[in-house]
RNA sequence: GCGCCCGUAGCUCAGCUGGAUAGAGCGCCACCCUCCGGAGGUGGAAGUCAGAGGUUCGAAUCCUCUCGGGCGCGCCA
């Protein structure tokens, strides 16, 4: 409808340009908006205010001229000037009522569109290091990324959801060593666990599995393992140097194959756990992309070569540096360390280069806000490689702070006292967690109230919306119990009987849904959809309280049932896109 | 110190990319159940949009500065 009105205005503008009222090189964007106030009609355009200057006349006078040049439309009942020069449109009744039939006919497809034109878009999200279970910070990225992906799919993009598995690098080595040391402990060796090792219980579990499967195959004498190592932190040494030396020792004693087995045992165990966690959360991927595969396939080497050939790398202090400061970054970054190993950044350059080469029109990365400093260097690398960094959107998600009522839930990664996503899911449920995470726009710091998320009352927006859905179902059950039949055809044929203000309000809400969906998708703002659903639920509850649906008048009953079934459909569609269930009873 | 994000009702947040009288939920106050689920609804009070300049017909929205809060500034990932 917006587009229809915009085209009407466009045609009026062209007429005025032909008449010389407006300059032909006019560069105004025609914008039609929903009115905030029902007394302003259904839609409004500020075009006259925008272009008055170019027309060299007052907005009001220009608005009159536009109005005169506006082609007739069967869907517009009236168009009038208001305020400083707005053009307000009021739709015909038939147009307003038509939405009910449209919703019921379209069903699950209502609100979806094809504006994405099947263009391939990649959404990479979560991508947490497989060194431990996901925590509540990752949860927000998961819920947000999944919603963004689903929204884009709903408006016609071909969406590829991807998880980047950081299965290479030092952190993973530390995990492998941690597993091995716990394993040695289980074998009966006595050793002090490094300060910098991963201390979570899951490391013990992996070690225990390893021992069950392989017995003492990887056992080495503790004294040999720990001999001639630099001091760990408690002994006045450097914990980083210590853990690296320990990693080196592990590789020497175990040999490459055995080390790799322990490494993979840790990796696979944690990755499986993450995958199960996300699946339970309703988050699934088309692809789990391995960082290690980038090195093994030579992609990392290739990316480095390309940068080197283009003259964007230089050697300093034994390492190779990328001249990212020449492309807007604060300073240059190392891609190959002095020990010959490539950095995580080097992998990321290769990864993003590949993403674009894989043919995605747009590439979206969802990152935690703590990685924001990383954005310029990745874009710099793409630019240096001759790619269009503009095709990459990095969406930064702020942290969520958990509250239990008024009390802040203590969380600190340092002490390992973080709350896992699994714990959150168990406590508040998947529906509430998914909804709460996307209720706020991603750049907002979020206070996540566990008590509220758990509460089964109208205070809790997710229950409020689900309850509206369940209520419609309940009415339909009541209908059946009373032995009444619903004649949809008769209902749709008599929609003008929906004369109550509450009914009019619902019609507007329903017709708004596709617009909200489109805006939410294109702006990567699922919170818009969340708010829209709350508003719809609110309008429904108000209606429910004010009027009976199962009335004696069969025609009116059919009409009202059509309306509330349409409401139910839209609620279900919207909740589904946010990964929240739409229960028939609660 | 430099960079990014945020600052809107007592609280949690919207505000459709510069438009009409700044909105919603919670909380608070006053009401509404012989009625399809009261897990609900109606009405009301509540704001110097952090502050100061600037841009223009018009600013919560754009620019500059200041003040608060978060995060980031590794040859970690």
């Amino acid at each position: 409808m917006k587009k229809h009105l915009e085209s009407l205005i466009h045609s009026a503008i062209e007429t005025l340009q032909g008449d010389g009222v407006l300059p032909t090189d006019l560069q105004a964007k025609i914008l039609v908006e929903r009115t905030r106030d029902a007394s302003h009609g259904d839609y409004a355009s500020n075009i006259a205010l925008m272009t008055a200057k170019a027309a060299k006349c007052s907005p009001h006078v220009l608005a009159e001229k536009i109005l005169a040049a506006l082609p007739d439309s069967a869907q517009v009942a009236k168009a009038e000037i208001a305020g400083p020069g707005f053009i307000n449109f009021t739709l015909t009744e038939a147009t307003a009522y038509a939405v009910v039939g449209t919703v019921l006919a379209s069903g699950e497809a209502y609100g979806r569109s094809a504006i994405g034109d099947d263009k391939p878009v990649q959404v990479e999200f979560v991508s947490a290091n497989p060194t431990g279970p996901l925590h509540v910070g990752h949860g927000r990225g998961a819920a947000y990324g999944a919603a963004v992906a689903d929204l884009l799919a709903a408006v016609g993009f071909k969406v590829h959801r991807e998880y980047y598995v950081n299965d290479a690098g030092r952190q993973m080595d530390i995990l492998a060593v941690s597993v091995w040391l716990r394993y040695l402990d289980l074998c009966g060796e006595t050793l002090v666990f490094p300060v910098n090792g991963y201390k979570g219980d899951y490391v013990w579990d992996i070690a225990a599995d390893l021992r069950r499967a392989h017995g003492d195959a990887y056992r080495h004498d503790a004294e040999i393992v720990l001999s001639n190592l630099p001091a760990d932190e408690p002994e006045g040494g450097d914990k980083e140097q210590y853990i690296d030396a320990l990693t080196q020792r592990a590789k020497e004693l175990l040999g490459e194959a055995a080390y790799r087995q322990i490494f993979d045992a840790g990796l696979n165990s944690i990755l499986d756990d993450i995958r199960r966690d996300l699946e339970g959360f309703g988050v699934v991927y088309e692809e789990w992309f391995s960082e290690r595969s980038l090195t093994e396939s030579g992609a990392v080497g290739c990316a480095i070569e390309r940068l080197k050939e283009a003259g964007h790398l230089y050697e300093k202090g034994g390492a190779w540096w990328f001249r990212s400061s020449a492309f807007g970054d604060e300073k240059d970054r190392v891609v190959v360390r002095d020990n010959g190993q490539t950095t995580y950044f080097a992998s990321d350059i290769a990864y993003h280069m590949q993403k674009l080469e894989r043919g995605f029109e747009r590439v979206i990365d969802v990152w935690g806000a703590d990685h924001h400093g990383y954005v310029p260097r990745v874009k710099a690398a793409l630019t240096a490689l001759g790619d269009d960094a503009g095709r990459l959107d990095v969406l930064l998600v702020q942290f969520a702070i958990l509250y239990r009522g008024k009390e802040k839930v203590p969380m600190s990664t340092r002490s390992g006292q973080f709350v896992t996503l699994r714990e959150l899911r168990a406590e508040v449920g998947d529906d509430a967690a998914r909804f709460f995470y996307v209720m706020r726009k991603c750049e907002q710091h979020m206070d996540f109230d566990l008590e509220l998320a758990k509460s089964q009352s109208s205070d809790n927006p997710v229950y409020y919306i689900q309850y509206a859905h369940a209520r419609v179902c309940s009415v339909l059950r009541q209908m059946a119990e009373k032995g009444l039949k619903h004649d949809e055809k008769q209902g749709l044929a008599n929609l003008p009987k929906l004369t109550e203000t509450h009914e009019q309000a619902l019609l507007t809400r329903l017709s708004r849904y596709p617009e909200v969906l489109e805006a939410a998708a294109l702006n990567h703002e699922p919170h818009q959809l969340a708010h829209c659903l709350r508003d719809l639920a609110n309008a429904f509850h108000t209606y429910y309280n004010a009027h009976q649906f199962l009335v004696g008048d069969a025609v009116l009953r059919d009409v009202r049932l059509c309306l509330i079934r349409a409401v139910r459909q839209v609620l279900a569609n919207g909740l589904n896109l946010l990964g929240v269930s739409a229960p028939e009873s609660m």
Side-chain angles (χ1 to χ4, degrees):
Chain A
M1 181 51 59
K2 267 187 186 175
K3 278 171 191 131
H4 174 62
L5 295 173
E6 279 163 12
S7 75
L8 293 180
I9 294 171
H10 185 72
S11 134
I13 298 279
E14 281 183 343
T15 306
L16 293 181
Q17 283 174 331
D19 296 347
V21 176
L22 284 169
T24 47
D25 59 342
L26 187 70
Q27 284 294 328
K29 209 162 93 191
I30 298 169
L31 218 71
V32 172
E33 295 179 312
R34 285 281 183 171
T35 55
R36 217 176 298 166
D37 191 330
S39 69
H40 296 144
D42 297 306
Y43 292 87
S45 176
N46 62 352
I47 187 70
L49 293 159
M50 301 286 288
T51 53
K53 194 171 259 177
K56 298 194 177 85
C57 66
S58 80
H60 204 270
V61 171
L62 180 61
E64 277 173 12
K65 289 181 179 166
I66 293 173
L67 217 51
L70 211 59
D72 284 332
S73 164
Q75 296 171 57
V76 178
K78 74 180 171 188
E80 55 191 2
I81 302 163
F86 290 100
I87 300 176
N88 291 341
F89 297 91
T90 307
L91 303 182
T92 61
E93 281 196 357
T95 307
Y97 290 128
V99 66
V100 177
T102 307
V103 173
L104 294 182
S106 312
E108 290 178 7
Y110 182 69
R112 292 176 175 264
S113 68
I115 51 168
D117 203 22
D118 225 24
K119 285 178 190 146
V121 174
Q122 188 208 40
V123 184
E124 182 218 318
F125 58 110
V126 185
S127 299
N129 290 344
T131 53
L134 298 177
H135 56 72
V136 291
H138 299 125
R140 188 172 183 188
Y144 175 73
V148 167
D150 287 355
L151 281 167
L152 287 171
V155 298
F157 287 94
K158 197 169 150 200
V159 177
H160 187 87
R161 299 162 186 82
E162 191 156 309
Y163 188 115
Y164 183 52
V165 183
N166 302 134
D167 53 4
R170 184 167 168 266
Q171 296 301 329
M172 287 305 298
D173 279 326
I174 295 176
L175 176 75
V177 168
S178 301
V179 169
W180 188 48
L181 293 179
R182 293 307 195 197
Y183 162 89
L184 292 176
D185 194 298
L186 291 174
C187 291
E189 298 293 334
T190 311
L191 25 72
V192 181
F193 198 74
V195 178
N196 223 10
Y198 286 99
K199 302 184 196 70
D201 290 341
Y202 58 91
V203 178
W204 282 111
D205 296 340
I206 298 165
D209 285 343
L210 198 63
R211 182 136 196 275
R212 265 192 293 279
H214 300 277
D216 283 359
Y218 308 122
R219 183 169 182 173
H220 286 261
D221 197 68
E223 271 182 45
I224 298 171
V225 172
L226 300 176
S227 67
N228 292 320
L229 288 175
D232 197 0
E233 194 171 69
E235 285 76 49
D238 183 318
K239 61 179 179 179
E240 308 288 353
Q241 276 177 18
Y242 178 73
I243 198 86
D244 285 342
L246 204 50
T247 303
Q248 204 46 48
R249 177 63 49 85
K251 287 178 180 171
E252 286 162 14
L253 290 176
L254 288 162
E256 198 167 316
Y259 179 80
R260 179 74 170 248
Q261 275 176 340
I262 292 171
F263 185 102
D264 284 348
L267 169 67
N268 292 331
S269 165
I270 289 173
L271 213 51
D272 282 348
D273 179 69
I274 289 175
R275 194 181 280 121
R276 276 195 301 273
D277 200 10
L278 287 172
E279 273 177 14
F281 199 39
V283 177
V284 288
Y285 292 88
E286 271 74 32
E287 187 167 353
W288 293 69
F289 193 98
S290 154
E291 177 188 351
R292 202 158 69 193
S293 76
L294 286 169
T295 316
E296 288 166 357
S297 73
V300 175
C302 168
I304 290 171
E305 267 321 299
R306 272 178 63 183
L307 286 172
K308 205 178 275 183
E309 277 168 27
H312 300 309
L313 296 190
Y314 61 89
E315 203 174 0
K316 191 180 100 182
W320 283 92
W321 296 70
F322 166 49
R323 208 182 300 279
S324 53
S325 63
F327 301 92
D329 196 10
E330 289 178 338
K331 51 181 172 184
D332 297 342
R333 312 289 175 176
V334 170
V335 287
V336 185
R337 288 195 281 252
D338 58 7
N339 65 8
Q341 289 208 316
T342 56
T343 60
Y344 172 82
F345 178 44
S347 298
D348 232 7
I349 294 172
Y351 182 40
H352 282 87
M353 182 181 85
Q354 269 209 357
K355 284 188 183 199
L356 295 181
E357 282 172 0
R358 281 198 272 164
F360 296 112
E361 194 120 333
R362 295 207 70 79
V363 168
I364 295 173
D365 287 1
V366 178
W367 293 353
D370 53 336
H371 288 77
H372 67 80
Y374 204 76
V375 178
R377 81 187 71 164
V378 172
K379 294 213 168 205
L382 290 176
T383 307
L385 285 165
D387 287 316
D388 178 11
R391 277 160 65 195
L392 169 68
D393 275 321
V394 182
L395 307 178
L396 299 169
V397 179
Q398 294 288 341
F399 288 122
I401 301 165
L402 294 185
Y403 281 82
R404 209 177 287 283
K406 300 263 180 223
E407 296 243 343
K408 208 173 197 169
V409 178
M411 271 191 298
S412 114
T413 359
R414 239 176 283 164
S415 63
Q417 288 263 319
F418 53 83
V419 178
T420 64
L421 174 61
R422 192 169 266 119
E423 285 164 354
L424 177 78
R425 290 175 50 215
E427 180 164 351
V428 307
D430 290 326
D431 283 344
R434 285 289 299 260
F435 191 86
F436 271 61
Y437 272 134
V438 297
M439 210 163 44
R440 309 298 176 215
K441 52 180 178 196
C442 65
E443 64 264 36
Q444 266 286 355
H445 303 130
M446 180 172 67
D447 289 348
F448 191 126
D449 187 343
L450 296 168
E451 294 301 329
L452 181 61
K454 274 190 291 187
S455 89
Q456 309 212 344
S457 74
S458 65
D459 309 0
N460 183 347
V462 64
Y463 274 87
Y464 186 81
I465 297 167
Q466 289 181 315
Y467 181 45
H469 182 272
R471 232 176 183 178
V472 178
C473 297
S474 171
V475 171
L476 295 174
R477 280 194 299 271
Q478 275 297 318
M479 182 194 72
E481 280 168 26
K482 290 187 176 177
L484 298 170
K485 287 263 188 302
H486 171 47
D487 183 343
E488 178 179 311
K489 210 175 250 177
Q490 175 158 257
L492 292 177
N494 291 281
L495 291 170
K497 284 187 180 291
L498 296 174
T499 53
E500 303 289 346
T501 33
H502 292 132
E503 293 166 343
Q504 299 289 327
L506 279 174
L507 293 173
T508 307
R509 298 272 180 216
L510 293 177
S511 66
R512 234 176 179 139
Y513 176 75
E515 295 165 16
V516 173
L517 195 54
E518 183 179 320
L522 297 180
N523 297 320
H524 315 124
E525 292 184 342
H527 76 273
Q528 286 195 38
L529 179 56
H531 284 274
C532 161
L533 293 176
R534 215 220 162 265
D535 290 343
L536 178 60
N538 179 30
F540 170 74
H541 285 305
T542 308
Y543 179 41
Y544 179 95
N545 192 250
H547 300 284
Q548 285 278 123
F549 310 144
L550 300 176
V551 290
D553 177 348
V555 176
L556 184 61
R557 188 174 68 228
D558 283 330
V559 174
R560 289 188 170 170
L561 289 177
C562 280
L563 176 62
I564 66 168
R565 282 175 52 230
V567 169
R568 177 178 68 168
Q569 184 69 60
V570 171
L571 289 173
N573 290 1
L575 287 173
N576 179 47
L577 281 175
L578 297 180
V580 180
S581 71
E584 300 199 350
S585 63
M586 311 192 46

